[in-house]
Amino acid sequence: MRRPSVRPVVRSFALLAAVLLAGVPTAPASAAAGDDGFTIKDPRITESSGLAASRLHPGIYWTHNDSDDGPYLYAVDGRTGNTVARITLTGIGRPRDVEAISIGPGNQIYVGDIGDNLGGKWPYVWIYRLPEPKVLKDQTVRATQYVVKYADGPRDAESLLVHPRTGRVYLIDKKEDGGHLYEGPATLSPSGTNVFRPVAPVDLWATDAAFSPDGRRLAVRGYFGGILYAFDDGTLKRVGRLDVPLQGQGESVTYSADGAKLLYGSEGAQSRVIAEDAPGGGDGGPGASAAKDPASPSGGDGTGDGVKVGAVVLAVAAVALLGLRRLRRRS
């Protein structure tokens, strides 16, 4: 479900940005097999909106379409980009606007049907949970459905993440001037309503987020950049910025299973998933080196290609935001 007058504008400006940045060199990534990036080849996947690295099946990444597809998840081989399984969810209602996917303890897959492009139309949203299949083949899996409300009223969101140690579920709302990290109950209840409460501000127009495998870092991405936070029981501390590749419509992010890479996905047919080194390498723990952040005193020096890329990104972002504001004033 989407507002037709706004999302195409975002896509148009994001595509413009991609054209402007074409030719800017990027460092080659080196990673374990399946973790160095890939192209999604399945013609059924045209709006990949979430991404999660499997721990049960090394090199496999779970994704899904944004909306208008059905209750489906796709297991994509990171070595080839081919789909190796399509899962059909049963035991749930009709998905409305599926925006995120995450894997929690015990290889439980969580799916966020949390999109609300009208910014508060839906009084509640849904989360689905299912066990990750031990065998990768086309099959039907029964899921548990949870009803979710926000303590401070309905909102749009595209980021769902499950803490890898505690299993607690978090959401981040999507607001152009920055949103909040929302914390769910310690245990989600399949009966009644699960109320998510804001616990920390997030300084980004977030389109997805992911915990590091040890749960001590939180990577948040947007259309034009990203932020790395240290995470401590719902408390966030900004560590630095992320080197997010500019994509046609950057919608997803996940850590590789070993935490060495961050993989960024985008909507569109034959979309490319791009791998970048995760700040701190392996586990992304608090002792790891921080990402360069020009907004922090200990950040990078901001010279060379970084300035050129940053200048183009900021310019395009400013134009995109101006266009969106004008559209909203007219609507």
Side-chain angles (χ1 to χ4, degrees), residues 61-111:
Y61 290 84
W62 291 95
T63 190
H64 54 82
N65 281 312
D66 186 343
S67 58
D68 301 326
D69 181 35
Y72 305 121
L73 303 179
Y74 300 85
V76 179
D77 189 336
R79 301 168 184 84
T80 65
N82 293 322
T83 297
V84 295
R86 185 174 84 161
I87 305 302
T88 302
L89 277 62
T90 62
I92 65 172
R94 180 178 179 180
R96 187 163 55 197
D97 193 353
V98 179
E99 292 287 357
I101 186 169
S102 182
I103 299 179
N107 300 314
Q108 295 290 307
I109 299 176
Y110 292 75
V111 181

Side-chain angles (χ1 to χ4, degrees), residues 16 20 24 39 83 88 131 158 184-185 189 191 218 220 229 265 279 316 329:
L16 171 61
L20 289 172
V24 174
T39 297
T83 297
T88 302
E158 295 188 2
S189 171
S191 60
L218 172 60
V220 185
Y229 292 97
V316 174
R329 280 200 287 274

